[in-house]
Amino acid sequence: MKIDQEIGALTLDLVNIASVSQDEQAIADSIQAALVEVKHLKVSRINNSIIAQTNFGSNQRVVIAGHLDTVPANNNFPGKKTSTEIIGLGSVDMKSGIAAALKLAAAVTNAKYDVTYLFYESEEIETKYNGLELITKQAKDLLNCDFAILMEPTNGIIEVGCQGTLRFQVSAMGTRSHSARWWNGENAIHALTPVLEILNSYKSREPIIDGHKFREGLQAVKINGGVAGNVVPDEVTMTINHRFAPDITPAQAEENMKKLFKDFNFQLLDVASGAPTGLNNELIKDFVSKIGTAIAPKFGWTDVARFAAAGIPAINFGPGDPNLAHHPDEAVKIKQIEDVFASLKDWLTK
Ligand SMILES: [Zn+2]
């Protein structure tokens, strides 16, 4: 993989280095080898994450970050190139963003901010494997910065903040009996009827935060129950996912859900806080005005929230349609990768 080639070809090269989560050694080796050749960068490595820092002498630093891993292939590996698109696993999420960041790392030899380019492992799986998390634990100083840009796919617009996510279970108990003599039992699955009613009649909150409308959600994502085809079930559990806007804390979101499902056994599974928009931060304001694209709220959870939790304002800005992320037909327009690269380069150097 050579950085010094056309950005579409570079994206294709990256797509064609398999890097399903926990199998990022080859791509990390390849990126490390390319970046150590770039004179103005100091390159470090933590496990399979690569960190490359400039030293332009600015008193402000920005992190430009992207993850190296992909979800498993779905008949879309290796990738291919047409005259306008790169098609294949990870082309959208997020090797086109990685290609743009690598190009910037090589091309920007002086800038108003110092830059830390971060290419990290295992974003698509549990937190304990996440490269950002690992660097935070082992070498936190490498992440020191005033502002972070996550090059996750946003279709070339700026996406601000992100919603929090909370998963919990509600369960109901009953009494087993033969389904032919059902009157001897009490059906636990039927006892969840009020839960379904709550879910169906739930009115999503749509708060406007710094001028941008977020949209919460409450969805059943799994149900477990039943004993056999002729038994009235005595136990049922439903897993529910609540997406909450970043104007409330995880504790408030949990409290709201406990209130809503107060008549049921409630068990919290996991929760991750959202991230504020950062639009009142001076560096983000400057970024937004220089880049000049549309701005939208981020509905899905991204590592922007991890930066926010560490006190670092962060936004999402990258090539690729997020609706195609993790999709078998992943494809990205080469023109969009070029545009994202060019606007970041102008912002850093003009
Ligand atoms: Zn991603």
Side-chain angles (χ1 to χ4, degrees), residues 76-115:
N76 54 0
F77 181 88
K80 54 184 186 244
K81 185 171 184 283
T82 69
S83 57
T84 56
E85 282 188 324
I86 305 300
I87 302 164
L89 178 65
S91 55
V92 168
D93 189 9
M94 57 173 287
K95 288 179 173 175
S96 49
I98 297 293
L102 284 170
K103 280 275 185 200
L104 281 174
V108 176
T109 53
N110 202 359
K112 60 181 166 184
Y113 305 121
D114 264 301
V115 188

Side-chain angles (χ1 to χ4, degrees), residues 11 13 15 24-25 27 93 95 102 107 117 127 195 208 231 233 249 251 292 302 315 317 322 340:
T11 302
D13 271 6
V15 165
E24 297 102 333
Q25 179 160 0
I27 196 166
D93 189 9
K95 288 179 173 175
L102 284 170
Y117 299 96
T127 295
V195 171
I208 309 275
V231 178
T249 65
T302 75
I315 52 106
F317 177 62
V340 165

